[in-house]
Structures are given as structure tokens and as C-alpha cells.
Amino acid sequence: RVRMITLPAEQRSPGKTGSVGAASADLTTQSGSIHGLWSNRWAFVLAATGSAVGLGNIWKFPYMTGQNGGGAFVLVYLICIVFITLPILMAEVLLGRRGRRSPIFAMAAVAREAGCSVLWSLIGWMGVVAGFLILSYYSVIAGWTLAYVPRAATGAFAGGEGPAIAALFDELLASPGWLTLWHTLFMVSTVFVVGRGLQAGIERAVTWLMPGLFIILLGLVAYAATLPSFAQGVDFLFTPDFSKLNAEVVLKALGQAFFTLSLGMGAIMVYGAYLPEESSITRTSLTVCAADTTVALLAGLAIFPLVFAHGLMPGEGPGLIFLTLPAAFGQMPGGVVIGTLFFVLLLVAAFTSALSLIEPAVAWGVERFDTSRAKAAAVCGLLAWLLGLATVFSFNLAENYKPIGGMTLFELLDYLTSNIMLPAGGALIAVFVAWFMRDEHRRAELRTGAAVLYPVWLWLLRIVAPVGVALVFLQAIGVDLGLP
């Protein structure tokens, strides 16, 4: 059972006292969070995997794998996961469990404990704001998936050719009313679950949804295995083509490895704050990485045999989900069932990610204003919903409004968060934990005295991870790295 810890008033509301450091002078004595703890480490694994598994896993990773060397790309991706992403993931979980608060107050408390400036709390601020901004447009995109579930279930794609499917999608984007409706339904559902609390809300949701996601995904793979094109899909994903490997492909693998685990947006840190003391950060982090990669590969095995079976193109990005696959579902026997299951799968992946995006802001609101979780969730959801209208209008009423760099409001939010805030947050997390935290505090959280593993992790965090993330950042903002 989860341990509920009753803390002094100054710890329950550190923002009101203005003395995070005073409330957290000795973090080693604090074994719980005011928000509660996960019932066990598997609850954390499911929640963190749900945060990591999103719409990008379902189409982007399989597509990038197939276009960049197949099994060779997967090999490079796994190397990047082990040597760059995993160390940062462990560091972010470590910070969360050490601070036992929302990312903002956790970073301030851990920095004070390390004798550093509380300006390090800017890492927490950056993560919370990035997650909030991402949620605002992620809810709109997830609304597309929500809209497609009843369409698939009622046979709207049956017999449809490419132009007819494209017309349905264009009709959806052109309607601010429908986009707002689906955006609203998705956001209200997210707020409802998060507002119920850690155990009764998020944990209960991921405990049901994540196993359901795996079951649906395995069912789709089993169906795909019956198709003559299954072998072609397997070859597309796993046949190594080392001739395609170059510095640019390695950077693509590195970027995918970093972004796939939701690092730098406060989600992993706040989930780490709820991790029980007896749970191993190393083992749970390894499990999350393995689960996230498994989902991405299974998605490829489910999707690409369907694509190849109907002579469609696999490299269409988001269009693969909302244009190419619906056309395939419309032509295949049992397409109504398969299509409905597929979009339910997408919806589950989007929903579990949304829970983690709003949680850092909700946790901060509870701590800062000493309010109930339900009220904090409602306010955060309302603000994210309002900001999400900018994304809604970017596809119709304001599609020609491009205030900076020729980007719509949606593209601007996506660029700011994905290309600047998340890489900066990930790099700063690595630098703080590796260079500024006290060694005894790192070891206390990792529960390790290993003569080899701990020094290797620390070296990776100090040198390899920051350099890797810096390269991702430079490539993302368009800096010419002189790649061959």
C-alpha cells in the first residue's frame, strides 16, 4: 500500500513560505510526497512508459527506422539509449525522488541541499512550462485521434480511396468548431483523471490503459502476421543496411532516443517524486526504456505490413496515420474492427502522455497555492485549453498568420518546446546531477556502491550525455554541423 506522509505546513506549501531550502534542509529524512506515492515500482514503470509512449512512437520511430538503415538504425538507437538517454532518465528520476515535490520546488530544494543557487530551479520551471505548452497543442492533435475512433467504428473509411480520405481529414482541419469540440473532450478527460489524485486517478488509469495498449498492439501484430506482406514489413524494420549509416543518421537516432522518453519536460521528474524509497531507480529506468522501445518496434510490425499490402507509401509522417492507414482500413476485410482498434490504441497512447504533461503544473499549483488537486487540475486544464485554441485556429481561421519565421502559432509552439526547451532541460539536468550534486546524495538515491557501474554512469552523465544533447539541439535549430 502507498505510504501517505503528513508533512509540516512549510513543506506542504513551500511556495507560500518562500523558504524551500528551510523546508528541505535534510532531504534524507523525507521519505514521501504530499501527493502520495506509487503503490509499487510497476505503477511508476507503467506511468513513465505511458508518458514516453505517444503518437510519435506509433509512426515516427518505425518510419525513421525503415528509411535510415533498418536494423542498423535500431542498433544505433539502442546504443544512444544506453549511453545517453538512460543516464539522463536516471538523473531526472533521481532529482524527483530526492526533492519529493513538483519539479520547480524539487530543483530548488535539491540545489539548496547541494549548496548551490536556487536559480537551478529554472530547470523545473522550464520543464513545467514546456510540458504545459506541449499539452496545449498535443490535446488538439490527440483530438484528431479521438475524432477518428467513431469514424472508423461506423465504417466511414469503408471503400474509401486516397482522395476521399484526404477530403475527410481536410474537412476536420477546416472546422474550428469540430476541432474545438474534440480538443475539449480530450482535455476534460485528462483533467478529470489527474484531478482524482495519484492513486485513484493517474495510477488507476495507467494500470488499466497500458496493459490494454499492449494487448491491442499485440493483437494488431498478430493480424499483420497473417498478411503476405508481413515478411516485407519485418525486412523494412530489421534488415541492417549499414551503407545508409552516416553522421546525419546517427544524429537522427540520437534525437529520437532523447525525445522518445519525455525527458526535460518535468514529467519524469514529478513521477520520480512519487517513486517509493525501496524501488531501484536503475532497474525501473531500464524497464521503461525497454518497454518504450518494444512499443515502437511492435507498432512498426503492426503498421507496415498493412501499408505494403495495399501498395501504399510508408514514409508520409503524420499523413501515414490520418491519410494512408485509413485508406488501407477502408480496403481490407475486417477493416472496421482493425481500424477502430488502431485508433483506440493511438488514443490510449496520447491520453497517458497527456496525464504526464499536466501533472507537473498541477503538482506545483497544489504546493504553491495550498489548494486541492481537483481545483489545480481544473485551472491548469482551462489555461491549456485556452492556449490550445491557438493551435486549433492555426489550421483554419489563422492559417495565414505566421508571426515569426514563417511559422504558424502551432509550429511556433512546437519549435520552441521540442527544439529549444526540452534539449536545454535535458542537458541542464545532466550537468546539475553530475557536477553539482553531492556524491553521497547521488549514491543514496541510486542505492549503489558498485565499483564499476556507478563511475560509468557518472562519466556518461558528465561528458557523453551533455555533448549528445548539445548535438541534438544544434541540429534541431538548423545549425550546419558539416555532416558528411
Side-chain angles (χ1 to χ4, degrees), residues 33 38 48 54 70 97 109 131 140 168 208 212 222 226 244 272 283 302 310 369 390 423 468 482:
S33 163
W38 303 113
R97 189 163 74 176
V140 178
L168 286 175
W208 284 96
T226 66
K244 290 187 177 181
R283 285 200 301 270
H310 293 83
F369 299 104

Side-chain angles (χ1 to χ4, degrees), residues 114-191:
C116 300
S117 169
V118 293
L119 288 177
W120 281 103
S121 64
L122 289 175
I123 295 177
W125 276 108
M126 190 181 304
V128 170
V129 172
F132 179 83
L133 294 178
I134 292 171
L135 175 65
S136 72
Y137 65 78
Y138 195 82
S139 175
V140 178
I141 306 305
W144 301 354
T145 303
L146 185 58
Y148 268 54
V149 171
R151 287 186 175 188
T154 56
F157 306 135
E161 299 290 342
I165 300 297
L168 286 175
F169 186 57
D170 291 341
E171 181 183 351
L172 175 64
L173 295 188
S175 172
W178 279 111
L179 286 183
T180 300
L181 172 64
W182 297 117
H183 167 49
T184 302
L185 290 176
F186 186 85
M187 188 67 74
V188 168
S189 301
T190 302
V191 168

Side-chain angles (χ1 to χ4, degrees), residues 59-280:
W59 65 265
K60 187 176 182 181
F61 177 76
Y63 157 67
M64 291 182 67
T65 298
Q67 295 297 314
N68 293 283
F73 180 87
V74 173
L75 178 62
V76 175
Y77 169 84
L78 292 176
I79 291 172
C80 293
I81 284 283
V82 172
F83 292 105
I84 296 177
T85 308
L86 177 61
I88 298 177
L89 175 67
M90 293 170 59
E92 189 163 349
V93 176
L94 184 155
L95 286 173
R97 189 163 74 176
R98 190 72 186 173
R100 290 297 191 197
R101 293 172 177 81
S102 65
I104 295 170
F105 290 130
M107 280 305 308
V110 175
R112 185 70 63 85
E113 181 188 48
C116 300
S117 169
V118 293
L119 288 177
W120 281 103
S121 64
L122 289 175
I123 295 177
W125 276 108
M126 190 181 304
V128 170
V129 172
F132 179 83
L133 294 178
I134 292 171
L135 175 65
S136 72
Y137 65 78
Y138 195 82
S139 175
V140 178
I141 306 305
W144 301 354
T145 303
L146 185 58
Y148 268 54
V149 171
R151 287 186 175 188
T154 56
F157 306 135
E161 299 290 342
I165 300 297
L168 286 175
F169 186 57
D170 291 341
E171 181 183 351
L172 175 64
L173 295 188
S175 172
W178 279 111
L179 286 183
T180 300
L181 172 64
W182 297 117
H183 167 49
T184 302
L185 290 176
F186 186 85
M187 188 67 74
V188 168
S189 301
T190 302
V191 168
F192 174 77
V193 170
V194 173
R196 288 176 57 83
L198 183 65
Q199 291 181 65
I202 299 175
E203 182 174 323
R204 181 173 295 177
V206 298
T207 300
W208 284 96
L209 292 176
M210 290 310 296
L213 181 147
F214 276 97
I215 291 172
I216 294 174
L217 191 52
L218 289 173
L220 291 174
V221 172
Y223 174 82
T226 66
L227 301 175
S229 56
F230 184 72
Q232 185 180 0
V234 172
D235 289 341
F236 184 76
L237 283 175
F238 297 118
T239 300
D241 184 0
F242 291 100
S243 67
K244 290 187 177 181
L245 286 185
N246 52 38
E248 184 178 359
V249 171
V250 170
L251 276 183
K252 287 181 180 179
L254 175 56
Q256 179 66 18
F258 176 79
F259 289 113
T260 190
L261 290 175
S262 302
L263 301 178
M265 62 179 66
I268 298 299
M269 193 182 298
V270 77
Y271 278 2
Y274 311 146
L275 186 65
E277 290 291 319
E278 63 273 13
S279 297
S280 166

Side-chain angles (χ1 to χ4, degrees), residues 244-456:
K244 290 187 177 181
L245 286 185
N246 52 38
E248 184 178 359
V249 171
V250 170
L251 276 183
K252 287 181 180 179
L254 175 56
Q256 179 66 18
F258 176 79
F259 289 113
T260 190
L261 290 175
S262 302
L263 301 178
M265 62 179 66
I268 298 299
M269 193 182 298
V270 77
Y271 278 2
Y274 311 146
L275 186 65
E277 290 291 319
E278 63 273 13
S279 297
S280 166
I281 289 177
T282 303
R283 285 200 301 270
T284 52
S285 298
L286 281 168
T287 305
V288 170
C289 288
D292 179 71
T293 303
T294 299
V295 168
L297 293 174
L298 287 175
L301 290 176
I303 290 173
F304 291 114
L306 301 179
V307 173
F308 292 133
H310 293 83
L312 301 172
M313 297 299 295
E316 297 188 17
L320 177 69
I321 299 300
F322 297 105
L323 298 175
T324 303
L325 282 177
F329 296 143
Q331 301 297 321
M332 69 174 63
V336 171
V337 174
I338 301 300
T340 303
L341 287 175
F342 177 78
F343 285 109
V344 169
L345 168 72
L346 275 182
L347 184 59
V348 170
F351 189 65
T352 54
S353 295
L355 298 179
S356 70
L357 289 171
I358 196 174
E359 175 63 17
V362 171
W364 176 80
V366 171
E367 297 164 358
R368 175 62 180 84
F369 299 104
D370 196 19
T371 187
S372 70
R373 169 173 278 268
K375 290 181 180 178
V379 171
C380 291
L382 177 61
L383 293 176
W385 178 84
L386 288 171
L387 183 58
L389 295 180
T391 295
V392 168
F393 299 145
S394 292
F395 295 105
N396 38 72
L397 300 179
E399 61 181 337
N400 295 320
Y401 178 63
K402 301 177 180 180
I404 301 177
M407 294 182 284
T408 65
L409 293 174
F410 160 64
E411 292 167 341
L412 188 60
L413 286 172
D414 182 45
Y415 182 88
L416 175 64
T417 53
S418 299
N419 296 348
I420 298 176
M421 299 179 76
L422 298 188
L428 288 172
I429 286 170
V431 168
F432 176 81
V433 172
W435 292 100
F436 292 90
M437 270 190 90
R438 295 176 182 174
D439 190 64
E440 61 267 28
H441 295 158
R442 291 192 296 256
R443 289 182 180 271
E445 292 302 326
L446 291 179
R447 309 286 192 270
T448 179
V452 176
L453 294 181
Y454 177 78
V456 169

